[in-house]
Amino acid sequence: MFAYELYKRLHRKRNLIVLLFMLTIMLWDVYLVFKDSYINPANIYPGTPMSLVYKWTYIPPHAAFLSGLSHGHIPQTIIIWLMPIYLLLLGAGDHCAEHASHMDDMTKMRSSHKTYYAKLLAQFLYITITFIILATINYLVCLVVFRHGQYTSLMGKDNLPLLLSSRSPYLSYITFIILFGLLSACYATAITALSTLIPFRLIVWIVSFYFWYSQLSYLPNLYQPFTEDTFAMRLHDLVLYMIPLLIVIIISVIVNKVRR
């Protein structure tokens, strides 16, 4: 059943369209950063030594999508603010459609707990892997475009996270690529669990957006690698983010066992 759930997500054309849209936004972010950077030929004054140009050009990790350095942060806004839509379209809300078409009734007749867990696991792995791939492609493009960059925007190096990031910015960014995939996958899994509790599309969409937007005051900081947040602040935000998701998943697991 797990293989079927994963296969269904991997071969759906709608999923491919959504992922390509997200990738386009991330690559657009590269263009916006390049457009405003010193390495852009249009921004180089005649006779300026290239060594000076490279000195004021961002290093690849700082120019990449998760760092959010594009003017106006429009690409980040499109991705982060609309995240529930992407997750729902990428399979998190599939159970609502199955319920509407009575497919879940047939599934219950021939399934066990393994079917339920297969849905959650397939959704988690699918979002984790695909989102890591998207962010990695963006990062690889930045490694090429900004390969000569030497400038970092880090300030306040008495802050331990910033100090570690300044010493290993490339490794730090890779860590946050993985976090981007995992945190997004956790939310997608919670939506999937919610849809098994309340298999009505409108309610699932409203609740998904409500919880997401209620966390937007600190949520972007969880995704951004180079901020002035301390470890304690990041841990606090992570706990606030994860508690509602875990509650929904745990309640869903309990209810599913009772129903069986």
Side-chain angles (χ1 to χ4, degrees), residues 57-130:
T57 298
Y58 285 116
I59 62 173
H62 286 247
F65 174 78
L66 294 179
S67 298
L69 289 182
S70 59
H71 183 69
H73 310 294
I74 298 176
Q76 287 76 22
T77 300
I78 294 175
I79 296 296
I80 301 300
W81 281 66
L82 300 181
M83 184 66 76
I85 292 181
Y86 306 133
L87 298 180
L88 285 161
L89 292 178
L90 289 172
D94 280 2
H95 188 77
C96 297
E98 294 175 2
H99 177 80
S101 61
H102 304 290
M103 287 180 59
D104 63 325
D105 293 333
M106 293 184 291
T107 303
K108 288 177 182 178
M109 294 172 58
R110 62 175 186 273
S111 67
S112 63
H113 293 301
K114 293 182 179 180
T115 303
Y116 169 79
Y117 295 126
K119 283 188 176 184
L120 298 185
L121 182 59
Q123 189 63 40
F124 180 83
L125 288 179
Y126 177 74
I127 295 299
T128 299
I129 294 171
T130 54

Side-chain angles (χ1 to χ4, degrees), residues 198-249:
I198 312 172
F200 301 103
R201 183 174 299 172
L202 179 60
I203 297 177
V204 170
W205 278 66
I206 291 175
V207 173
S208 299
F209 271 93
Y210 173 78
F211 276 109
W212 186 260
Y213 286 128
S214 67
Q215 301 177 96
L216 275 181
S217 60
Y218 58 83
L219 189 57
N221 292 333
L222 291 176
Y223 289 107
Q224 292 181 345
F226 308 112
T227 68
E228 295 185 4
D229 287 0
T230 63
F231 279 127
M233 294 169 64
R234 288 187 182 276
L235 181 59
H236 175 265
D237 293 343
L238 180 62
V239 171
L240 289 179
Y241 175 74
M242 290 301 301
I243 285 179
L245 306 186
L246 291 175
I247 290 175
V248 171
I249 293 173

Side-chain angles (χ1 to χ4, degrees), residues 94-209:
D94 280 2
H95 188 77
C96 297
E98 294 175 2
H99 177 80
S101 61
H102 304 290
M103 287 180 59
D104 63 325
D105 293 333
M106 293 184 291
T107 303
K108 288 177 182 178
M109 294 172 58
R110 62 175 186 273
S111 67
S112 63
H113 293 301
K114 293 182 179 180
T115 303
Y116 169 79
Y117 295 126
K119 283 188 176 184
L120 298 185
L121 182 59
Q123 189 63 40
F124 180 83
L125 288 179
Y126 177 74
I127 295 299
T128 299
I129 294 171
T130 54
F131 277 37
I132 287 177
I133 291 174
L134 292 179
T136 300
I137 292 174
N138 168 269
Y139 187 40
L140 291 175
V141 173
C142 287
L143 287 173
V144 174
V145 175
F146 300 94
R147 62 188 179 278
H148 297 300
Q150 301 173 11
Y151 180 73
T152 64
S153 59
L154 294 180
M155 299 178 65
K157 293 184 179 180
D158 55 332
N159 182 309
L160 182 57
L162 279 181
L163 181 60
L164 295 176
S165 297
S166 66
R167 290 180 176 177
S168 305
Y170 293 84
L171 179 60
S172 178
Y173 193 85
I174 292 174
T175 302
F176 274 84
I177 287 178
I178 297 173
L179 282 175
F180 173 65
L182 291 174
L183 293 175
S184 301
C186 287
Y187 203 84
T189 304
I191 294 176
T192 302
L194 177 65
S195 68
T196 63
L197 283 174
I198 312 172
F200 301 103
R201 183 174 299 172
L202 179 60
I203 297 177
V204 170
W205 278 66
I206 291 175
V207 173
S208 299
F209 271 93

Side-chain angles (χ1 to χ4, degrees), residues 12-27:
R12 184 183 294 153
K13 290 184 178 180
R14 184 185 70 192
N15 288 24
L16 179 60
I17 293 173
V18 172
L19 293 174
L20 287 176
F21 174 79
M22 294 180 68
L23 179 60
T24 301
I25 298 300
M26 291 183 176
L27 295 180

Side-chain angles (χ1 to χ4, degrees), residues 37-58:
S37 70
Y38 287 96
I39 203 173
N40 182 356
N43 297 335
I44 299 178
Y45 290 102
T48 303
M50 290 307 297
S51 59
L52 184 61
V53 172
Y54 296 151
K55 180 180 179 180
W56 291 102
T57 298
Y58 285 116

